[in-house]
């Protein structure tokens, strides 16, 4: 009998998940493995919702965002019972290797399975880019491009009216997308959880921008910041008379997740999907694959999920210097 492996996607979908699935399946076939897909992340793993994946089943997905397997947030998998059932489902089908494509929470799940004896290889995939050991995670660059296009359009209308726009971007507990979108989008101010500024500091930055002759102000705010777009808008509205600027709020939300993966995410996903299979064939157990400097990085799952990933100080510094 051929060796059997399975692949699943979990947590927030990210552009790049589909090309990673495709590469894993086709590399598996080239390595004479039988490859299964688990539908809807850990929910499907617990329920035994598996499908056999051949080369044709993963055709036509390289340019599609989302995930052909479906994904989920699965509270049941946090329990001992849920994890036990997941292990049983794999064992019952003779599946001896699992690839988990997902973000921080999902890789905590990978670690739990690996501690229960399953050979797991994780692939760092989240638009939040908050997994340690990977300079950039699958999906983050495509999501960034979506945010940048929106910011360019907002600047046009902001400038026409002389308005301030608060643009809220995703990032559950981290400011990567906001920081990078703010720098690359030419924002006048950036608000992120890693370097919180008070609403009054932001108001001063806006007023100084107008004093320097700007016809608008774009403030990029991470949803995970203590002073998110709603909190800032509340403060500015309460002090509207004194601050004297006209304000609009745009939350980009899930629009950032649904883009077609860009060149970088397609190529990286292909490399990571193929490498994950090779690593399973080589006997790997409990590792997370990511990317740094164009190369695949390998970290122990435990190290990756327990380490908080810092933002690059050089970008934080540039954000201040360039907002003039
Ligand atoms: P993401 O992977 O995008 O960060 P979540 O944080 O929602 O998304 O995690 C996805 C799923 O991973 C959760 O719904 C849960 O099933 C599983 N998971 C999250 N944290 C843990 C944990 N500490 N232990 C085991 N499984 C976890
Ligand atoms: O995948 C990460 C993420 O997009 C975060 O940026 C965001 O906070 C969260 O997922 C949104 O989750 P949901 O899709 O469950 O609303």
């Amino acid at each position: 009998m051929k060796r059997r492996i399975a692949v699943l996607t979990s947590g927030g979908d990210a552009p790049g998940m589909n090309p990673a699935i495709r590469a894993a399946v086709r590399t598996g076939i080239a390595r004479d493995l039988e490859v299964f897909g688990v539908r809807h992340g850990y929910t499907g793993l617990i329920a035994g919702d598996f499908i056999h994946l051949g080369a044709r089943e993963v055709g036509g997905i390289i340019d599609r965002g989302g995930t052909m397997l479906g994904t989920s947030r699965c509270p049941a998998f946090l329990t001992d019972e849920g994890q036990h059932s997941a292990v049983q489902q794999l064992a019952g089908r003779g599946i001896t290797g699992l690839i988990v494509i997902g973000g921080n929470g999902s890789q905590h799940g990978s670690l739990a399975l690996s501690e229960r004896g399953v050979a797991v290889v994780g692939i760092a995939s989240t638009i939040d880019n908050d997994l340690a050991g990977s300079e950039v995670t699958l999906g983050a660059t495509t999501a960034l491009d979506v945010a940048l296009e929106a910011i360019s359009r907002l600047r046009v209308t902001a400038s026409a009216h002389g308005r301030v726009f608060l643009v809220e971007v995703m990032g559950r507990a981290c400011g990567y997308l906001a920081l990078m979108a703010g720098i690359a989008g030419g924002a006048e101010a950036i608000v992120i959880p890693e370097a919180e500024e008070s609403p009054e500091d932001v108001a001063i930055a806006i007023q100084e921008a107008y004093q320097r002759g700007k016809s608008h102000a774009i403030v990029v705010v991470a949803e995970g910041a203590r002073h998110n777009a709603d909190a800032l808008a509340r403060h500015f509205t309460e002090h509207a008379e004194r601050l004297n600027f006209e304000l609009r709020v745009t939350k980009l939300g899930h629009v950032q997740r649904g883009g077609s993966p860009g060149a970088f995410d397609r190529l990286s996903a292909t490399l990571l999907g193929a490498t994950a299979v090779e690593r399973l064939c080589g006997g790997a157990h409990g590792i997370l694959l990511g990317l740094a400097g164009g190369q695949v990085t390998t970290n122990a799952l435990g190290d990756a999920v327990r380490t908080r990933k810092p933002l690059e100080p050089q970008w934080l510094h540039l954000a201040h210097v360039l907002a003039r």
Side-chain angles (χ1 to χ4, degrees):
M1 193 177 108
K2 290 182 179 184
R3 183 181 177 194
R4 294 179 160 185
I5 65 166
V7 55
L8 68 78
T9 49
S10 166
D13 57 288
M17 285 182 161
N18 274 327
I21 295 167
R22 174 180 176 273
V25 170
R26 293 191 177 171
T27 305
I29 293 167
R31 286 294 229 132
D32 206 26
L33 307 176
E34 242 189 302
V35 188
F36 292 82
V38 183
R39 284 156 44 84
H40 309 300
Y42 292 127
T43 306
L45 190 59
I46 291 173
D49 192 354
F50 291 69
I51 48 171
H52 188 266
L53 292 175
R56 293 282 67 73
E57 274 78 43
V58 293
I61 62 169
I62 196 159
D63 57 350
R64 279 172 34 203
T67 158
M68 66 163 286
L69 291 173
T71 184
S72 66
R73 316 268 185 201
C74 176
F77 190 72
L78 298 172
T79 64
D80 186 59
E81 211 184 351
Q83 291 175 14
H84 178 74
S85 161
V87 174
Q88 294 301 311
Q89 294 288 2
L90 290 166
R93 285 169 179 75
I95 294 169
T96 57
L98 179 68
I99 298 169
V100 174
I101 306 171
N104 203 306
S106 302
Q107 303 306 343
H108 271 96
S110 300
L111 177 63
L113 286 172
S114 139
E115 285 171 350
R116 287 171 183 265
V118 180
V120 189
V121 172
I123 294 180
S125 175
T126 163
I127 68 162
D128 285 3
N129 197 23
D130 61 348
L131 268 164
S134 190
E135 189 179 296
V136 62
T137 54
L138 286 186
T141 54
T142 301
L144 190 50
D145 279 338
V146 175
L148 288 178
E149 188 180 340
I151 290 169
S152 294
R153 291 173 186 220
L154 291 172
R155 192 191 295 104
V156 170
T157 177
S159 197
H161 288 264
R163 284 172 173 158
V164 174
F165 265 79
L166 298 180
V167 187
E168 189 174 280
V169 300
M170 276 190 160
R172 186 169 45 188
C174 68
Y176 173 86
L177 275 180
L179 180 61
M180 294 311 190
I183 293 171
E188 277 63 44
I190 300 171
V191 181
I192 53 176
E194 292 85 347
E196 286 280 1
E197 295 193 49
S198 72
E200 212 41 45
D201 289 337
V202 181
I204 290 167
I206 292 168
Q207 285 173 324
E208 286 178 354
Y210 281 120
Q211 281 157 14
R212 286 197 300 273
K214 295 212 177 186
S215 56
H216 59 257
I218 301 290
V219 181
V220 179
V221 188
E223 66 168 335
R226 189 159 61 90
H227 299 293
N228 61 12
D230 286 338
L232 288 174
R234 213 175 306 120
H235 179 89
F236 295 161
T237 308
E238 278 163 15
H239 299 273
E241 250 173 63
R242 174 172 58 85
L243 294 177
N244 194 31
F245 51 67
E246 202 185 341
L247 181 73
R248 292 289 185 272
V249 178
T250 300
K251 294 185 187 181
L252 298 184
H254 294 78
V255 160
Q256 293 156 100
R257 283 223 305 246
S260 165
F264 179 82
D265 277 325
R266 288 188 206 187
L267 293 170
S268 306
T270 301
L271 184 61
L272 288 169
T275 306
V277 173
E278 296 296 348
R279 294 292 165 82
L280 279 177
C281 290
H285 196 301
I287 58 168
L288 179 68
L289 301 181
L291 292 160
Q295 303 295 318
V296 174
T297 58
T298 305
N299 286 277
L301 273 167
D303 294 344
V305 300
R306 290 188 191 116
T307 309
R308 192 174 162 76
K309 181 176 174 179
L311 289 175
E312 287 284 340
Q314 61 175 351
W315 291 116
L316 285 166
H317 173 67
L318 274 175
H320 285 291
V321 174
L322 298 177
R324 303 189 167 268

